[in-house]
Amino acid sequence: MVLSDRDIRTRLKKDLRISPFDDSCVQPSSVDLHLGDEFLIFDSHSQSLIDTKNEVKSLMKKIIIKGDEPLILHLREFILATTIEKLKIPHDLVGRLDGKSSLGRIGLVIHSTAGFFDPGFEGQATLEISNLANLPIALYKGMKICQMSFVQMTSPAQYPYGHKKLNSHYFGQKGVKGSEISSVWGKK
């Protein structure tokens, strides 16, 4: 069951956290989130491939945009970005992140695969942004970039995200965070 605007507002008063929060960003079944100022971009000139058995952080460089300057996302370019908002999802809700239709209609994809936020997630959302258009797209800090909806679970999670029994790589993340793919092979 997807929470309505009424239920989102009720849970925000109780145990759901979005900070900073602007009530005008509540939509009928979601909350609009804003683009932060940190980005990770692949440095494709230093490596010939991404080897999932090896740590990949060294393949990316961090860019921070200042003020009103845009980040220009070129054709077929992939970047990681972050939301301004920090989230804290209760143990009985799942967060679902989707792009804004107005951005999708110009070829901007906001998440490749990771639009699912487990119960217990805390931190800023990392976005997996791609430009499918045939022209570059200018992105600006503070623009509405995505929307988060919330799904009620049948019961609270026994081991929510961040629990010591889990290997929750992205729990409490601040800023944009790259992939922890090498950890599936037991490497850090």
Side-chain angles (χ1 to χ4, degrees), residues 132-175:
L132 301 180
N134 58 3
L135 294 169
I137 299 173
L139 303 175
Y140 295 90
K141 176 185 175 184
M143 68 186 284
K144 290 180 180 178
I145 193 74
C146 61
Q147 54 196 356
M148 177 78 70
S149 60
F150 301 95
V151 179
Q152 180 70 55
M153 294 174 42
T154 56
S155 65
Q158 182 176 10
Y159 301 112
Y161 197 76
H163 189 279
K164 63 183 178 183
K165 286 189 171 220
L166 304 175
N167 194 9
S168 303
H169 300 295
Y170 309 108
F171 183 79
Q173 67 188 17
K174 276 181 95 172

Side-chain angles (χ1 to χ4, degrees), residues 16-87:
L16 174 63
R17 302 285 178 262
I18 301 173
S19 177
F21 174 70
D22 178 352
D23 190 71
S24 70
C25 291
V26 177
Q27 300 299 318
S29 61
S30 65
V31 178
D32 289 337
L33 302 178
H34 301 84
L35 185 63
D37 62 354
E38 289 186 22
F39 302 87
L40 286 176
I41 297 177
F42 279 103
D43 182 6
S44 59
H45 303 289
S46 65
Q47 298 290 322
S48 59
L49 65 98
I50 298 170
D51 186 342
T52 59
K53 284 191 174 183
N54 295 317
E55 184 271 322
V56 297
K57 291 176 190 166
S58 63
L59 301 177
M60 301 188 90
K61 65 180 180 178
K62 184 181 277 191
I63 293 176
I64 298 175
I65 57 173
K66 296 175 176 55
D68 288 336
E69 74 181 55
L71 177 96
I72 306 301
L73 188 62
H74 296 280
L75 288 63
R76 296 178 302 285
E77 190 171 24
F78 174 84
I79 61 171
L80 296 178
T82 188
T83 58
I84 288 176
E85 293 83 1
K86 294 177 185 128
L87 306 165

Side-chain angles (χ1 to χ4, degrees), residues 62-120:
K62 184 181 277 191
I63 293 176
I64 298 175
I65 57 173
K66 296 175 176 55
D68 288 336
E69 74 181 55
L71 177 96
I72 306 301
L73 188 62
H74 296 280
L75 288 63
R76 296 178 302 285
E77 190 171 24
F78 174 84
I79 61 171
L80 296 178
T82 188
T83 58
I84 288 176
E85 293 83 1
K86 294 177 185 128
L87 306 165
K88 183 176 180 183
I89 300 175
H91 298 179
D92 65 337
L93 294 181
V94 169
R96 295 294 312 187
L97 185 127
D98 285 297
K100 301 284 296 167
S101 63
S102 55
L103 295 173
R105 293 169 195 227
I106 60 170
L108 193 67
V109 176
I110 302 306
H111 70 86
S112 300
T113 61
F116 186 88
F117 289 75
D118 280 310

